[in-house]
Amino acid sequence: MKKIVLSLLAVTAIISCNSVGNNEFEIEGNGNGLKDGLNVYLKMQDTLTNNLVNVDTVKIENGKFKFEGAVKEPSLHFITIDSTENQIPFILEEGKITVAVNKDTIYKSIVGGTYSNDQLVAYSKETEKIQKNVIKFQETNREKIQQAQMTADTVTMNALMKEYKTYQDQFKDISLKHVEDHPKSYISLLFIKQFLNDPSFDLARATKMYENLDATLKNTNEGKNIKKKLDSIKKAEKKK
């Protein structure tokens, strides 16, 4: 009996050590070969200037780094590391978030552990093939684009733009499907925001997608801003 009690206490201790409280986050990062002592920065986008501003800084120790803190609602954040280029985008939200750094190609680092970040990884994998095709298109047609711009060759430019648009449409289709299939994913909210910046996007469809979102997303600052924009666009349409 004593052994059973001790086993239960041990399990409870493990669970309590691994759990993250309500409205709290924990980011555990694996530097994967990055030198100890390098600074790791947690950043967010300033709403007024759109510049990245620093939220917290830690150092890599024994190949790892860790951020902890309180979080009221999910939001887009970034991780940057000394001596590396580019940022690691992720959703800062309640729970335990893991970051596996790819030191050679930072933007290929994998973030997971919470629902929205797992969905972000799944979306990235789904669009990886399209991204490769875009890079191949740019590399193949770089000289042709430059020549067409220099000679004002609108026929060639229009043909290239038409081909490039097919990739943009593929990205858009996958993003639309993500929003409609994942009403609890924070990146669904970010996609709707992008759609509203496109004057040709179907307002009725954007409204329906927003209405189908989980209430927790609608109550975020980003969700409230999108609602205001939807209402503003609808008023403008009525005036027309």
Side-chain angles (χ1 to χ4, degrees):
M1 183 66 180
K2 187 181 289 185
K3 288 182 178 179
I4 294 173
V5 172
L6 289 172
S7 297
L8 288 172
L9 288 172
V11 171
T12 304
I14 292 170
I15 292 172
S16 62
C17 288
N18 290 334
S19 64
V20 178
N22 292 333
N23 298 321
E24 292 180 350
F25 73 88
E26 182 180 296
I27 302 171
E28 285 194 349
N30 189 331
N32 289 323
L34 289 173
K35 292 180 180 179
D36 284 358
L38 289 176
N39 286 320
V40 184
Y41 306 95
L42 176 62
K43 298 189 175 188
M44 65 180 292
Q45 197 170 36
D46 185 271
T47 54
L48 296 176
T49 64
N50 287 328
N51 294 326
L52 292 183
V53 294
N54 202 45
V55 176
D56 197 2
T57 306
V58 296
K59 290 184 181 294
I60 294 179
E61 295 181 7
N62 299 319
K64 300 182 183 299
F65 61 89
K66 188 175 184 179
F67 290 100
E68 293 177 296
V71 57
K72 292 182 179 178
E73 60 181 47
S75 58
L76 181 64
H77 277 63
F78 302 85
I79 286 175
T80 62
I81 304 170
D82 277 346
S83 79
T84 62
E85 296 181 356
N86 299 319
Q87 301 90 26
I88 304 172
F90 74 102
I91 308 304
L92 185 70
E93 59 186 350
E94 180 183 301
K96 191 170 184 177
I97 301 166
T98 58
V99 181
V101 177
N102 185 323
K103 67 174 183 177
D104 298 318
T105 314
I106 287 295
Y107 71 86
K108 288 186 178 180
S109 300
I110 298 175
V111 183
T114 59
Y115 179 74
S116 291
N117 285 302
D118 289 341
Q119 292 305 322
L120 180 58
V121 171
Y123 174 84
S124 297
K125 287 181 178 178
E126 198 172 359
T127 58
E128 192 173 337
K129 185 178 179 180
I130 306 172
Q131 187 63 42
K132 286 180 180 178
N133 288 335
V134 170
I135 294 171
K136 185 178 179 181
F137 170 84
Q138 291 172 336
E139 291 174 347
T140 303
N141 295 286
R142 184 175 288 111
E143 290 184 10
K144 192 183 289 186
I145 292 169
Q146 291 174 347
Q147 185 64 28
Q149 289 174 335
M150 289 173 63
T151 59
D153 184 353
T154 55
V155 174
T156 300
M157 283 301 299
N158 288 337
L160 290 169
M161 287 173 65
K162 185 177 180 180
E163 185 179 350
Y164 184 74
K165 189 177 181 300
T166 61
Y167 301 122
Q168 290 180 313
D169 290 340
Q170 289 171 22
F171 275 119
K172 188 175 181 179
D173 290 341
I174 293 175
S175 301
L176 284 167
K177 190 174 186 305
H178 182 93
V179 174
E180 292 168 346
D181 292 348
H182 302 90
K184 292 184 178 182
S185 170
Y186 186 78
I187 60 173
S188 292
L189 202 61
L190 300 181
F191 287 144
I192 295 175
K193 181 181 179 180
Q194 286 182 336
F195 298 148
L196 289 177
N197 290 328
D198 179 2
S200 64
F201 192 74
D202 185 352
L203 179 61
R205 189 174 186 182
T207 302
K208 185 178 179 181
M209 288 191 301
Y210 176 80
E211 290 173 348
N212 288 338
L213 288 176
D214 190 79
T216 55
L217 292 182
K218 293 180 186 177
N219 288 326
T220 62
N221 287 329
E222 198 69 76
K224 291 173 183 177
N225 288 335
I226 289 173
K227 179 66 167 61
K228 287 178 183 177
K229 188 161 187 177
L230 279 169
D231 291 343
S232 177
I233 294 172
K234 286 175 186 176
K235 286 180 181 179
E237 289 292 323
K238 285 182 180 180
K239 288 181 179 180
K240 287 182 183 178

